[in-house]
Amino acid sequence: MKKLDWIIIGSVLIIAVGILLIRSLGKRAGDMAVVTLNGTVILEQTLSEEAVIPIRTEEGYNILQIADGGAKIIEADCRDLICVNHIKVSKKGESIVCLPHQLVVEIVER
Amino acid sequence: MSSASAGSRNRGAVRERRACMAKRVALTGVMTALGIVLGWLESLVPFTPGIPGVKLGVANIAALLVLYRLSWKEAATVSILRILISCMLFGNPITGIYSLAGAALSLLIMVLLKRLDGLSMTGVSAAGGVAHNIGQILAAWLLLGTDAILYYLPILLATGVVSGVLIGLAGAWLHRHLPTEIS
């Protein structure tokens, strides 16, 4: 590998870690989960009440669980199950994405 | 007399060009098949990061190798065919769109950076890996219509560079060791 290779690799990593650090400093708990399907908001759910909400999409279903001040997808019939494997989100700006179903759960602060 | 020999020389040149073309088409086909199999093998490995777009992407070794052995046109062919076929065989049409967006931006960046003297194949591939993930995020941002997706940008930048380096090292090794006739 050449010098310029290392410069590219290093600068990308520094930018990535920099953004993560800056963001972790300003992390605040959110109080609302906003679910969007294909860019349209279909559900706004407060994080203060526990709930289990099945969401039907054109492509399949996802089951959203609200518990302990956070949101998690506990079940889905998408192919990759990336959404189900995602850890619980509770901080403002955090999100869970299910690309096969075009579904996004985002934590916001109201 | 002289015109006859010129004609046969011409015919020889045409035959040679056809043989060369056949070789390029054959290699493009073989590399597409290799890419599909590598992608399928990777999908068998249980790896559940919970973040869309985080993967090694070993299938890209095929396109990277073709970019260095043939040209960007064949590399684009390999990428597009591989994604379309993999999508039909194992995937979902929506995730295919993200793959295509990633592959397009990745190839564009790699073609441009390959012209620089100061970069090795590994560095070009690292930039390609980052560009791939940026392309995917841009596609998701447009399609999902929410800024929430940008949350994943730093993680995908980091994983893109790491997987790009690994793919680049593997590709460079193959490029060094595969016989030069394969080009």
Side-chain angles (χ1 to χ4, degrees):
Chain A
M1 290 213 279
K2 299 178 187 172
K3 198 174 145 198
L4 196 53
D5 294 338
W6 290 108
I7 293 176
I8 288 187
I9 295 165
S11 49
V12 172
L13 286 177
I14 287 168
I15 292 170
V17 172
I19 299 175
L20 283 174
L21 277 179
I22 291 168
R23 202 165 60 186
S24 70
L25 290 177
K27 247 186 188 180
R28 275 186 306 178
D31 51 17
M32 191 84 94
V34 177
V35 182
T36 47
L37 191 61
N38 278 316
T40 321
V41 176
I42 55 163
L43 180 72
E44 292 195 10
Q45 185 75 22
T46 172
L47 295 178
S48 52
E49 290 165 35
E50 306 223 331
V52 174
I53 306 150
I55 300 160
R56 289 233 140 261
T57 75
E58 269 176 44
E59 310 288 334
Y61 73 91
N62 301 68
I63 298 178
L64 174 72
Q65 183 192 50
I66 308 284
D68 306 321
K72 190 170 179 5
I73 304 258
I74 49 170
E75 199 185 315
D77 62 350
C78 56
R79 191 181 50 89
D80 52 23
L81 295 179
I82 282 174
C83 55
V84 178
N85 288 312
H86 200 291
I87 54 166
K88 185 182 87 174
V89 288
S90 59
K91 301 278 190 293
K92 184 186 164 198
E94 287 182 337
S95 63
I96 302 176
V97 180
C98 179
L99 287 183
H101 293 171
Q102 304 277 74
L103 182 96
V104 181
V105 179
E106 190 187 2
I107 302 299
V108 297
E109 197 184 21
R110 286 286 150 83
Chain B
M1 186 64 206
S2 70
S3 81
S5 80
S8 80
R9 215 179 308 134
N10 256 345
R11 235 170 291 135
V14 167
R15 207 174 300 138
E16 205 168 283
R17 219 176 308 135
R18 275 195 193 142
C20 179
M21 189 67 202
K23 206 170 148 190
R24 292 172 90 85
V25 171
L27 186 57
T28 306
V30 167
M31 285 300 169
T32 306
L34 176 70
I36 294 167
V37 171
L38 286 176
W40 174 70
L41 283 175
E42 186 177 343
S43 76
L44 298 181
V45 179
F47 173 64
T48 49
I51 295 164
V54 174
K55 60 186 269 188
L56 186 50
V58 280
N60 294 312
I61 293 175
L64 180 67
L65 198 60
V66 169
L67 176 65
Y68 273 80
R69 284 291 171 106
L70 300 175
S71 77
W72 68 269
K73 286 175 204 149
E74 283 85 0
T77 310
V78 166
S79 273
I80 294 168
L81 283 178
R82 175 184 65 76
I83 292 166
L84 291 180
I85 295 170
S86 298
C87 220
M88 278 189 274
L89 290 175
F90 332 104
N92 153 309
I94 294 168
T95 45
I97 297 172
Y98 299 104
S99 302
L100 279 175
L105 192 62
S106 165
L107 192 64
L108 176 73
I109 294 296
M110 290 201 292
V111 170
L112 293 176
L113 290 183
K114 189 171 165 280
R115 293 158 177 244
L116 296 180
D117 287 332
L119 271 180
S120 76
M121 199 165 163
T122 310
V124 169
S125 173
V130 175
H132 188 282
N133 286 356
I134 292 175
Q136 276 192 319
I137 280 212
L138 287 179
W141 191 39
L142 291 174
L143 284 171
L144 297 173
T146 163
D147 296 342
I149 196 82
L150 299 178
Y151 177 75
Y152 292 112
L153 185 64
I155 297 155
L156 287 176
L157 287 178
T159 59
V161 84
V162 171
S163 48
V165 165
L166 295 174
I167 298 304
L169 290 172
W173 188 88
L174 282 172
H175 189 40
R176 252 198 324 275
H177 290 87
L178 280 181
T180 45
E181 292 81 61
I182 304 175
S183 65

